[in-house]
Amino acid sequence: MTNNIIELQVEGMDCNNCAMSITRFLERKGLKDVYVNFQTKEVRFQPNEEVMSLEEVKSGIHKLGYTVVEEEKPQAWWTLERKLIISAIFTAPLLIGHILMSLGVHIGLMHNNWLQLLLCLPVFIIGLLHFGKSAWNGLVQTGVANMDVLIFIGSTAAFIYSLIGTIQNEPNYIFYETAATIITLVLLGNWFEHRAVKQTTSAIGELTKLQVEKARRIMPSGTVVTINRDEIKVGDILQVNEGDKIPTDGMIESGHAAVDESMMTGESVPIEKVKGDPVVGASIVDSGNIQMRVTAIGKDTVLSKMIELVKTAQQDKPDIQRLADKISAIFVPAVLGIALLTVLVGHFAFDLTFQKALMNAIAVLVISCPCAMGLATPTAVMVGVGRLAKNGILVKGGTTVEVFSNIKNIVFDKTGTLTTGEFKVQHIDYHTDNPAFVNALIYKMEQHSSHPIAQSLVKEMVSRVNGVELGSIKVEEQKGIGVFAQDDEGNRYHIGAKPGTTDLEHQTIQLTQNDQLLATVEISDELKPEALVMM
């Protein structure tokens, strides 16, 4: 995909055939690299003014029955949820009355055909407006019969059939509950699908939230000015202080800092960064401050590439989705043909009454309406990719997810990245006869540090203090060295990593008193082999 790809946000797509309608429309006009995703509401294509202008593209999509979102607008009141709620309220008495009747329980009021018509009418109007427009525009603009065509025809056939029965006062013709239930159940299915996609694509939202909105640029005069993210340029010198998020990718020009890159690597321990070291946008300066030169902005940053990877992962479709796309493309015409054949064969070949043959055809339309394969297959891929991203696992696309189904065993080559993200105390060796004093001392000193290792020690020692009280003690943290303390008697204490420790996931912490070893703490955040789930 080239860099000059146009991306539009389009509302109104409900299933894979909706996406295919837009895809075929744009491809028939001559546009290249067309990619439409109904779950993320994205339409992408390579612009070509000679073939079709951007305004013509938007106009064409609008004529198909979909809306190009030009800017963020407040959510409309007439949402899918409200349509579903209103439809369910009117459908419930119809459906419950029908079920009770089939069980031999008769409610006289619910046998009133005109009352059933009044209950069904609001639901039918909602379905007519929700599904009818998309069905009609799909047929007129592209000649593609999408899933809304089946929903519209099935519900309309049942409603009109029932209306004729009401006028003729023929109870055997009344199927208002069928028309209302078709619309309500499909709306419910759409709501479930939208809810699943919304929860899944929150992974993209969480990544996007990591982006920094403001930055401090150092001007040639030395003045520091605050600028917006989109004003940052490659080559700018930015000031980043302790506690700040790094605005974008860059290289440290001066200063020293411990940078928390867990959003990228998952590592619990901040990485020490000095002049000449690269830094990644959205990572956090845990301690220290730096001046950095910007090396990448916008879509060229590591974070933006991560977001793009998640958003476009579905372009690499697994075999099952390719099959679903092919079948769903001919599914609607095939079902309509089968329904018509059901009427003709049933009436003329098997001597069924026209009423019975027509009801059998309506049953064909009703059963096929939701199209589980055309809707569920791409949604399942989207949910899989999104859930993986939400848990910090990025994949190239749907094919990778499909490969997972054939995995029997997983072998991890431990290279320092398979971690839990949270340190836990594995073992403590006491070199004194008073372990309770050591526990209280560790707890007291590490409370003054925000380092992940210090916080894990505080969490562990809170249950080991056992009421031991320490006298007055002065505590001071020195970044990168450890925590120092001194009591009223002049005893000097130090707690920090054992010199020479290079394994970030497994640390040995030493506590000394006047340079004499009091305790050694083994602490780790790596996964143990027995914790790995073997597939």
Side-chain angles (χ1 to χ4, degrees), residues 175-196:
F175 296 96
Y176 287 118
E177 80 285 343
T178 301
T181 302
I182 291 173
I183 294 169
T184 302
L185 286 181
V186 176
L187 287 174
L188 179 63
N190 285 348
W191 180 77
F192 277 132
E193 183 264 331
H194 287 176
R195 184 170 177 266

Side-chain angles (χ1 to χ4, degrees), residues 59-74:
S59 176
I61 293 175
H62 179 73
K63 289 180 181 178
L64 288 174
Y66 310 105
T67 303
V68 177
V69 181
E70 300 289 351
E71 59 183 20
E72 289 293 330
K73 297 180 179 179

Side-chain angles (χ1 to χ4, degrees), residues 268-409:
S268 307
V269 182
I271 307 298
E272 298 295 327
K273 299 281 188 176
V274 296
K275 181 179 179 180
D277 287 341
V279 288
V280 178
S283 54
I284 301 172
V285 176
D286 190 67
S287 63
N289 58 81
I290 58 173
Q291 292 183 0
M292 57 169 283
R293 181 179 298 277
V294 177
T295 58
I297 58 174
K299 293 186 176 181
D300 294 327
T301 63
V302 173
L303 179 60
S304 294
K305 290 177 180 178
M306 287 175 60
I307 295 172
E308 188 68 15
L309 177 62
V310 177
K311 291 171 71 174
T312 60
Q314 274 197 296
Q315 286 181 277
D316 179 25
K317 296 180 181 179
D319 292 339
I320 184 64
Q321 188 171 342
R322 292 192 185 97
L323 177 62
D325 288 348
K326 292 178 181 178
I327 294 177
S328 61
I330 62 173
F331 184 80
V332 176
V335 169
L336 293 176
I338 293 172
L340 179 60
L341 194 63
T342 300
V343 174
L344 298 177
V345 174
H347 182 61
F348 294 105
F350 293 95
D351 294 327
L352 296 177
T353 63
F354 184 76
Q355 174 189 345
K356 180 62 177 176
L358 183 60
M359 289 309 302
N360 290 342
I362 292 175
V364 171
L365 296 173
V366 170
I367 292 171
S368 62
C369 274
C371 185
M373 180 174 59
L375 181 65
T377 303
T379 301
V381 174
M382 183 67 184
V383 169
V385 171
R387 289 296 296 272
L388 286 169
K390 196 170 185 178
N391 287 281
I393 304 172
L394 302 182
V395 298
K396 289 185 176 180
T399 301
T400 306
V401 177
E402 190 175 39
V403 169
F404 288 169
S405 64
N406 299 318
I407 293 176
K408 302 300 181 184
N409 296 283

Side-chain angles (χ1 to χ4, degrees), residues 120-129 152 155-157 159-160 179-180 183:
C120 181
L121 189 59
V123 183
F124 179 70
I125 293 174
I126 289 174
L128 186 70
L129 297 176
F152 178 78
S155 58
T156 301
F159 181 82
I160 293 177
I183 294 169

Side-chain angles (χ1 to χ4, degrees), residues 207-222:
L207 288 173
T208 303
K209 288 178 183 177
L210 294 175
Q211 295 177 325
V212 180
E213 296 300 327
K214 301 286 184 180
R216 285 187 286 269
R217 178 194 289 163
I218 301 177
M219 307 301 290
S221 62

